[in-house]
Amino acid sequence: MTEPQPHEEFPPIRKGGSLILAWQIRNKKVLIVGGGNVAAGRIVNVLEADAKVTVISPRSGLIPEVAYRVEEGQVEYVDRTFIEDDLEGVDMCLTAIDDPEASREIYKLCKARRIPVNVADVPPECDFYFGSQHRDGALQIMVSTNGNGPKLANLIRRRIAEALPARTAEAIDKVGQLRRKLRRRAPNIEEGPKRMRWMIKVCDEWSFDELAELDEETMEKILDGYASETVPSSPSRTFFKCGALGRDAVWYTAVTASFVAGALSSFMWARRRGYSTNEWTGFDGVLTRPHCYLNGETNVYVCSD
């Protein structure tokens, strides 16, 4: 069978990746077997997703952080080793114990019961992986190397976090408030595509700092443009349009034009050399496709829902 030829308009299919999702486990029952450092990290991950967590481990195997979660009542706790009945009613199982045979047995039991399972540090016995995560308010960014290089995922995640615009979390919070207000004004399902188009315009027009500064009065003024699908100019663009920059506007325009010309020149050079846009755009590659960036076996997932 011949390999399909790439299409000029459609993205190619790159096999070997993971389906990266924002898995909703609110009020789901998650079982964590183990009480060490890996278990401590897993506990934080699932508690922040509002899951109901049960930890099974002999008390002698609890590190201080896990013992603290138990004492504070943040998790349910069973002071013994795992038994098969512990899987009753469980929605997800995470094992983090230094016992390969016991981990393998738990994996088999979970598969028989169709319970999603993750066996720490054993990729073939995982239905899903835990990537390196950056969290800032509602923003979550996860980097996964599909089990190939967890430390590299951590380093990549740090570089992405350092490159984020200032006040990103505040901007996301205000955009969330604006979306909820818009839904109250236009609640019908049929309005969905129009709401999406209009919110995209808002995010394109207003900078992160300007979105972070939105107050109730400004939000209402912006929302007044929804019916006609218009968006008021942001303060910075209004400043420019009103001629407040004076003669500096000519200089600003020239610099902008030079930057755009340089970017286009780089793009054409990369295309002639045969590079894909994901290979040469760097961090911007994360944003060229909504939510997910894939390069080889490294996945970056951005979520603010």
Side-chain angles (χ1 to χ4, degrees), residues 72-128:
E72 291 295 310
Q74 297 178 9
V75 299
E76 293 185 17
Y77 174 60
V78 180
D79 182 7
R80 57 166 170 75
T81 57
F82 170 87
I83 61 174
E84 183 175 352
D85 288 346
D86 292 329
L87 293 176
E88 193 64 38
V90 166
D91 297 299
M92 176 188 292
C93 180
L94 314 174
T95 76
I97 53 178
D98 295 325
D99 187 336
E101 288 301 320
S103 294
R104 190 170 296 109
E105 183 61 26
I106 295 172
Y107 169 77
K108 291 177 180 178
L109 292 170
C110 287
K111 298 303 289 183
R113 293 171 178 248
R114 301 196 176 195
I115 298 172
V117 60
N118 174 280
V119 178
D121 207 30
V122 187
E125 296 180 358
C126 294
D127 290 318
F128 54 92

Side-chain angles (χ1 to χ4, degrees), residues 43-218:
I43 290 170
V44 172
N45 291 148
V46 294
L47 282 179
E48 289 194 340
D50 300 322
K52 295 180 178 179
V53 183
T54 299
V55 174
I56 295 180
S57 171
R59 189 167 292 274
S60 60
L62 301 184
I63 65 169
E65 180 180 344
V66 177
Y68 167 79
R69 307 286 181 202
V70 172
E71 292 163 5
E72 291 295 310
Q74 297 178 9
V75 299
E76 293 185 17
Y77 174 60
V78 180
D79 182 7
R80 57 166 170 75
T81 57
F82 170 87
I83 61 174
E84 183 175 352
D85 288 346
D86 292 329
L87 293 176
E88 193 64 38
V90 166
D91 297 299
M92 176 188 292
C93 180
L94 314 174
T95 76
I97 53 178
D98 295 325
D99 187 336
E101 288 301 320
S103 294
R104 190 170 296 109
E105 183 61 26
I106 295 172
Y107 169 77
K108 291 177 180 178
L109 292 170
C110 287
K111 298 303 289 183
R113 293 171 178 248
R114 301 196 176 195
I115 298 172
V117 60
N118 174 280
V119 178
D121 207 30
V122 187
E125 296 180 358
C126 294
D127 290 318
F128 54 92
Y129 303 129
F130 282 86
S132 182
Q133 184 183 146
H134 170 74
R135 177 78 185 270
D136 187 6
L139 174 66
Q140 290 179 269
I141 298 176
M142 190 193 84
V143 179
S144 170
T145 58
N146 285 297
N148 286 277
K151 179 58 181 177
L152 290 180
N154 181 269
L155 294 173
I156 294 168
R157 185 262 304 168
R158 290 183 182 182
R159 294 191 64 177
I160 291 173
E162 290 168 359
L164 290 173
R167 307 188 71 182
T168 297
E170 294 173 78
I172 290 171
D173 179 65
K174 293 299 178 64
V175 168
Q177 294 180 38
L178 188 65
R179 285 184 67 191
R180 289 188 287 275
K181 287 177 177 291
L182 176 59
R183 281 185 174 276
R184 288 195 289 271
R185 285 202 182 196
N188 295 334
I189 295 176
E190 296 78 12
E191 294 274 340
K194 180 181 177 181
R195 288 196 303 263
M196 185 179 297
R197 288 194 306 270
W198 187 79
M199 284 302 307
I200 289 172
K201 288 182 181 179
V202 173
C203 293
D204 285 341
E205 175 72 23
W206 292 62
S207 71
F208 276 84
D209 282 339
E210 291 164 343
L211 290 170
E213 292 287 348
L214 289 179
D215 55 24
E216 292 291 323
E217 181 180 355
T218 307

